Protein backbone atom coordinates (compact mmCIF):
# COMPACT_ATOMS: atom_id res chain seq x y z
CA UNK A 1 0.00 0.00 0.00
CA UNK A 2 2.87 2.41 0.82
CA UNK A 3 4.57 1.63 -2.51
CA UNK A 4 1.37 2.40 -4.42
CA UNK A 5 0.84 5.65 -2.49
CA UNK A 6 4.43 6.74 -3.18
CA UNK A 7 3.99 6.02 -6.89
CA UNK A 8 0.70 7.95 -7.02
CA UNK A 9 2.33 10.96 -5.35
CA UNK A 10 5.35 10.79 -7.66
CA UNK A 11 3.07 10.59 -10.70
CA UNK A 12 0.97 13.53 -9.49
CA UNK A 13 4.11 15.66 -8.97
CA UNK A 14 5.37 14.87 -12.46
CA UNK A 15 2.00 15.69 -14.03
CA UNK A 16 1.72 18.95 -12.09
CA UNK A 17 5.22 20.19 -12.91
CA UNK A 18 4.95 19.13 -16.55
CA UNK A 19 1.66 20.97 -17.06
CA UNK A 20 2.99 24.10 -15.34
CA UNK A 21 6.21 24.10 -17.38
CA UNK A 22 4.34 23.59 -20.65
CA UNK A 23 1.66 26.20 -20.02
CA UNK A 24 3.60 29.09 -18.48
CA UNK A 25 6.73 30.78 -19.75
CA UNK A 26 7.79 32.12 -16.36
CA UNK A 27 7.15 30.31 -13.09
CA UNK A 28 7.85 31.91 -9.72
CA UNK A 29 8.54 29.91 -6.57
CA UNK A 30 9.53 31.06 -3.11
CA UNK A 31 12.70 29.85 -1.45
CA UNK A 32 11.04 28.61 1.73
CA UNK A 33 12.70 27.87 5.06
CA UNK A 34 11.62 24.22 5.02
CA UNK A 35 13.85 23.18 7.92
CA UNK A 36 12.20 25.87 10.06
CA UNK A 37 8.76 24.68 8.97
CA UNK A 38 9.66 21.13 9.94
CA UNK A 39 10.33 22.31 13.51
CA UNK A 40 6.69 23.39 13.81
CA UNK A 41 4.91 20.32 15.18
CA UNK A 42 1.61 21.25 13.51
CA UNK A 43 3.15 21.68 10.05
CA UNK A 44 5.93 19.08 10.05
CA UNK A 45 4.09 16.10 8.56
CA UNK A 46 2.27 18.10 5.91
CA UNK A 47 5.43 19.96 4.87
CA UNK A 48 7.43 16.73 4.67
CA UNK A 49 4.73 15.09 2.53
CA UNK A 50 4.55 18.10 0.17
CA UNK A 51 8.12 17.53 -1.12
CA UNK A 52 8.81 21.19 -1.93
CA UNK A 53 12.39 20.44 -2.90
CA UNK A 54 11.33 17.84 -5.46
CA UNK A 55 8.75 20.20 -6.96
CA UNK A 56 11.39 22.92 -7.34
CA UNK A 57 13.93 20.48 -8.82
CA UNK A 58 11.43 19.21 -11.41
CA UNK A 59 10.26 22.72 -12.28
CA UNK A 60 13.87 23.80 -12.82
CA UNK A 61 14.68 21.21 -15.47
CA UNK A 62 11.22 21.10 -17.06
CA UNK A 63 11.07 24.86 -17.58
CA UNK A 64 14.49 24.68 -19.27
CA UNK A 65 13.27 21.84 -21.50
CA UNK A 66 10.22 23.87 -22.53
CA UNK A 67 12.07 27.15 -23.10
CA UNK A 68 10.73 28.91 -20.00
CA UNK A 69 12.34 30.33 -16.89
CA UNK A 70 12.05 29.52 -13.21
CA UNK A 71 12.37 32.56 -10.97
CA UNK A 72 13.10 32.01 -7.28
CA UNK A 73 11.98 34.73 -4.88
CA UNK A 74 14.30 35.40 -1.96
CA UNK A 75 13.56 33.55 1.26
CA UNK A 76 13.00 36.81 3.13
CA UNK A 77 10.83 38.53 0.49
CA UNK A 78 7.60 39.47 2.38
CA UNK A 79 5.15 38.24 -0.26
CA UNK A 80 2.33 37.60 2.23
CA UNK A 81 2.93 40.71 4.34
CA UNK A 82 3.08 43.25 1.49
CA UNK A 83 -0.07 44.89 0.13
CA UNK A 84 -0.32 44.13 -3.57
CA UNK A 85 -2.07 47.48 -4.18
CA UNK A 86 -0.10 50.07 -2.17
CA UNK A 87 3.06 48.07 -1.28
CA UNK A 88 2.69 48.75 2.48
CA UNK A 89 4.30 46.03 4.61
CA UNK A 90 2.53 44.59 7.66
CA UNK A 91 5.12 43.82 10.36
CA UNK A 92 3.45 40.70 11.82
CA UNK A 93 1.06 38.33 10.04
CA UNK A 94 0.56 34.94 11.75
CA UNK A 95 -0.28 31.88 9.65
CA UNK A 96 -3.72 31.53 11.24
CA UNK A 97 -4.84 34.78 9.59
CA UNK A 98 -5.96 33.72 6.11
CA UNK A 99 -7.32 37.08 4.86
CA UNK A 100 -4.95 39.97 4.21
CA UNK A 101 -6.35 43.34 5.28
CA UNK A 102 -4.26 46.40 4.44
CA UNK A 103 -4.41 49.09 7.11
CA UNK A 104 -3.31 51.78 4.63
CA UNK A 105 -5.53 51.35 1.55
CA UNK A 106 -8.20 48.96 2.88
CA UNK A 107 -7.51 46.08 0.48
CA UNK A 108 -9.12 42.84 1.65
CA UNK A 109 -7.84 39.75 -0.16
CA UNK A 110 -7.06 36.11 0.44
CA UNK A 111 -3.55 35.85 1.89
CA UNK A 112 -2.31 33.44 -0.80
CA UNK A 113 -3.81 35.52 -3.63
CA UNK A 114 -2.08 38.61 -2.26
CA UNK A 115 1.24 36.74 -2.12
CA UNK A 116 0.77 35.49 -5.69
CA UNK A 117 0.13 39.03 -6.94
CA UNK A 118 3.28 40.25 -5.15
CA UNK A 119 5.39 37.45 -6.65
CA UNK A 120 4.03 38.20 -10.13
CA UNK A 121 4.88 41.89 -9.67
CA UNK A 122 8.38 40.95 -8.48
CA UNK A 123 9.03 38.95 -11.64
CA UNK A 124 7.58 41.66 -13.88
CA UNK A 125 10.13 44.06 -12.38
CA UNK A 126 12.96 41.57 -13.10
CA UNK A 127 11.85 40.06 -16.41
CA UNK A 128 10.08 43.17 -17.77
CA UNK A 129 8.10 41.13 -20.30
CA UNK A 130 11.06 40.16 -22.46
CA UNK A 131 11.60 36.72 -23.88
CA UNK A 132 9.24 34.09 -25.25
CA UNK A 133 6.39 35.02 -22.92
CA UNK A 134 3.33 37.11 -23.62
CA UNK A 135 0.36 38.06 -21.46
CA UNK A 136 -3.02 36.59 -22.26
CA UNK A 137 -6.37 38.34 -21.73
CA UNK A 138 -6.39 37.59 -18.01
CA UNK A 139 -2.93 39.11 -17.59
CA UNK A 140 -1.44 35.68 -16.96
CA UNK A 141 1.91 34.76 -18.41
CA UNK A 142 1.63 32.17 -21.19
CA UNK A 143 4.11 30.87 -23.69
CA UNK A 144 3.62 31.72 -27.32
CA UNK A 145 3.21 28.58 -29.40
CA UNK A 146 6.25 27.63 -31.43
CA UNK A 147 4.15 26.42 -34.38
CA UNK A 148 3.53 29.85 -35.92
CA UNK A 149 0.10 30.74 -37.34
CA UNK A 150 -1.51 27.47 -36.28
CA UNK A 151 -4.29 27.31 -38.87
CA UNK A 152 -4.83 24.91 -41.77
CA UNK A 153 -3.03 27.30 -44.08
CA UNK A 154 0.16 26.98 -42.01
CA UNK A 155 0.43 23.26 -42.71
CA UNK A 156 -0.32 23.43 -46.45
CA UNK A 157 2.72 22.32 -48.46
CA UNK A 158 3.92 24.80 -51.10
Amino acid sequence: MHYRTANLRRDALHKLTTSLAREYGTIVVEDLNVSGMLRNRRLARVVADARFGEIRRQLAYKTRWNGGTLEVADRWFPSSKTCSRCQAVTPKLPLRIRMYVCEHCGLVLDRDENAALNLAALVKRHVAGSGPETENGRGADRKTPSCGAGGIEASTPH
Side-chain angles (χ1 to χ4, degrees):
M1 186 165 64
H2 290 290
Y3 178 74
R4 183 175 189 282
T5 304
N7 283 339
L8 288 172
R9 285 183 178 172
R10 188 178 305 115
D11 183 55
L13 279 182
H14 274 290
K15 287 179 179 176
L16 171 70
T17 55
T18 299
S19 68
L20 287 172
R22 284 183 180 164
E23 187 166 346
Y24 298 101
T26 303
I27 298 174
V28 187
V29 294
E30 289 181 292
D31 183 19
L32 299 174
N33 182 11
V34 176
S35 61
M37 294 166 106
L38 290 174
R39 283 188 228 120
N40 183 334
R41 295 171 66 194
R42 292 186 181 120
L43 291 177
R45 183 172 296 178
V46 175
V47 169
D49 283 346
R51 300 184 66 191
F52 293 133
E54 181 64 15
I55 292 172
R56 183 172 164 184
R57 184 188 74 80
Q58 287 183 19
L59 281 173
Y61 76 81
K62 289 179 183 183
T63 51
R64 274 195 311 270
W65 281 357
N66 290 291
T69 57
L70 178 68
E71 298 289 331
V72 181
D74 184 57
R75 177 176 291 192
W76 306 114
F77 177 68
S79 62
S80 296
K81 297 178 184 181
T82 305
C83 177
S84 58
R85 183 186 296 162
C86 71
Q87 306 306 312
V89 179
T90 306
K92 290 276 186 183
L93 190 63
L95 269 177
R96 71 179 186 280
I97 298 176
R98 301 310 307 160
M99 293 299 288
Y100 178 82
V101 179
C102 181
E103 297 171 359
H104 293 50
C105 70
L107 175 72
V108 178
L109 195 61
D110 179 69
R111 176 191 180 117
D112 296 328
E113 252 183 89
N114 184 54
L117 290 171
N118 286 324
L119 290 170
L122 174 73
V123 168
K124 282 188 180 181
R125 286 193 297 267
H126 288 277
V127 176
S130 62
E133 305 91 19
T134 59
E135 284 190 359
N136 66 10
R138 297 176 299 144
D141 181 27
R142 291 185 63 102
K143 285 188 193 176
T144 55
S146 59
C147 58
I152 300 170
E153 66 279 8
S155 62
T156 308
H158 296 285

